Amino acid sequence: MPEKIKHESSKTRFAGFTPNTLDFFRQLDKNNNREWFTEHKKEYVQFVAEPFKQLALELAPMVQELDPLIITDTRRTVSRIYRDTRFSHNKTPYRPNVWIAFKRNAECWTETPVFFFEITATQYMAGMGMYQANAATMRNFRQLLDSSPQQFWEIIKPIRRNSAMQLEAEQYKRPLPCKHRKEIHPWYQSKTFAVVGYYEPDKTLYSGKLPDFIIDKFLLLKPLYDFLWRAIE
């Protein structure tokens, strides 16, 4: 596992989110319309958009130490709050959450491993995974796992010991034959998956220590990230 990545805290512009950030999402959830959002646009910029941009900029050099191929342009890493309703069953104009997704430049990045951080009205999350892996990637993943099951076990053991981290997976309805230890089966049976840590709003979220907290989670997931890229490449 890579060594702990450090940064000069004195140079940071990110000072943490505030309770106003989550309150904005709560109010938006109740008033998801253009009139309300227009009236509260300044709050969105102050409590959501600007600190998210600052956080992404703060994380950028540390994330590139994890993978130099990762894109760090905030225009491509910070999500838009505006929902594209053309292709969504949900026709509300705004998302009640915002995230940062650090990814490589790929034709279809949703099929590749992504480090992410997200805030909703009730919690914040940090993790890594694939939004929608393709069948070839997961087939290669299982073949790589079959050839090196002990290595994969050593990769996921620290993740399993972290009580906040959860495997979230879409699994095959018909189980695939898996000869490995039972703890590996949920991973082996997955069509796509992510590992996500869920956290209640706390002093870390509201402080300049949040970037280091996020990077610590990314470091935990880095060996799995590399394993997935081996399966793709």
Side-chain angles (χ1 to χ4, degrees):
M1 180 178 295
E3 295 181 359
K4 182 178 177 63
I5 296 173
K6 298 181 179 180
H7 68 288
E8 295 294 333
S9 58
S10 61
K11 297 180 181 179
T12 181
R13 295 187 303 126
F14 179 77
F17 292 96
T18 72
N20 291 321
T21 305
L22 277 70
D23 185 60
F24 178 86
F25 288 130
R26 283 192 289 268
Q27 294 301 318
L28 177 61
D29 198 35
K30 298 175 183 177
N31 305 278
N32 201 322
N33 59 75
R34 289 179 176 83
E35 292 76 17
W36 184 89
F37 188 85
T38 299
E39 291 178 4
H40 295 80
K41 182 72 175 290
K42 290 183 179 179
E43 296 168 37
Y44 164 69
V45 172
Q46 180 180 356
F47 301 127
V48 181
E50 189 59 28
F52 257 99
K53 180 180 178 180
Q54 292 174 358
L55 176 60
L57 289 170
E58 175 94 5
L59 289 170
M62 295 184 280
V63 170
Q64 285 201 311
E65 287 189 46
L66 297 176
D67 182 354
L69 298 179
I70 280 179
I71 299 167
T72 57
D73 185 340
T74 57
R75 292 170 296 182
R76 300 180 65 182
T77 58
V78 181
S79 71
R80 300 176 74 245
I81 199 167
Y82 307 97
R83 192 191 306 278
D84 188 347
T85 58
R86 295 174 301 167
F87 311 106
S88 174
H89 294 298
N90 188 336
K91 297 303 180 182
T92 54
Y94 308 101
R95 300 187 181 101
N97 61 312
V98 173
W99 64 85
I100 300 170
F102 288 110
K103 52 193 177 288
R104 291 185 183 180
N105 190 20
E107 183 176 349
C108 187
W109 67 266
T110 58
E111 297 179 351
T112 63
V114 174
F115 290 108
F116 60 87
F117 170 80
E118 180 178 351
I119 294 181
T120 71
T122 59
Q123 61 191 347
Y124 66 104
M125 292 151 272
M128 187 282 300
M130 297 173 288
Y131 286 92
Q132 192 172 11
N134 61 45
T137 293
M138 296 311 293
R139 182 170 58 250
N140 292 344
F141 165 75
R142 290 189 294 274
Q143 291 174 352
L144 184 59
L145 197 163
D146 285 337
S147 67
S148 51
Q150 186 58 35
Q151 179 192 10
F152 185 75
W153 173 240
E154 294 300 325
I155 287 172
I156 66 171
K157 271 200 305 185
I159 298 172
R160 286 172 49 82
R161 286 197 294 265
N162 188 305
S163 59
M165 287 289 174
Q166 300 179 23
L167 171 65
E168 295 192 349
E170 178 186 355
Q171 299 194 325
Y172 289 99
K173 293 181 180 178
R174 180 177 298 178
L176 301 173
C178 178
K179 60 185 178 181
H180 310 298
R181 64 176 74 209
K182 64 180 182 179
E183 292 87 353
I184 289 177
H185 287 199
W187 305 79
Y188 200 87
Q189 304 297 334
S190 298
K191 291 183 179 180
T192 189
F193 66 77
V195 181
V196 189
Y198 291 89
Y199 308 95
E200 297 296 320
D202 57 11
K203 62 182 181 181
T204 298
L205 181 65
Y206 303 138
S207 77
K209 296 180 180 179
L210 182 62
D212 284 331
F213 176 87
I214 295 170
I215 289 296
D216 283 345
K217 309 314 168 191
F218 289 177
L219 281 166
L220 175 66
L221 299 171
K222 173 69 161 58
L224 179 60
Y225 175 85
D226 292 339
F227 193 91
L228 291 174
W229 271 113
R230 285 175 58 196
I232 292 173
E233 297 174 336

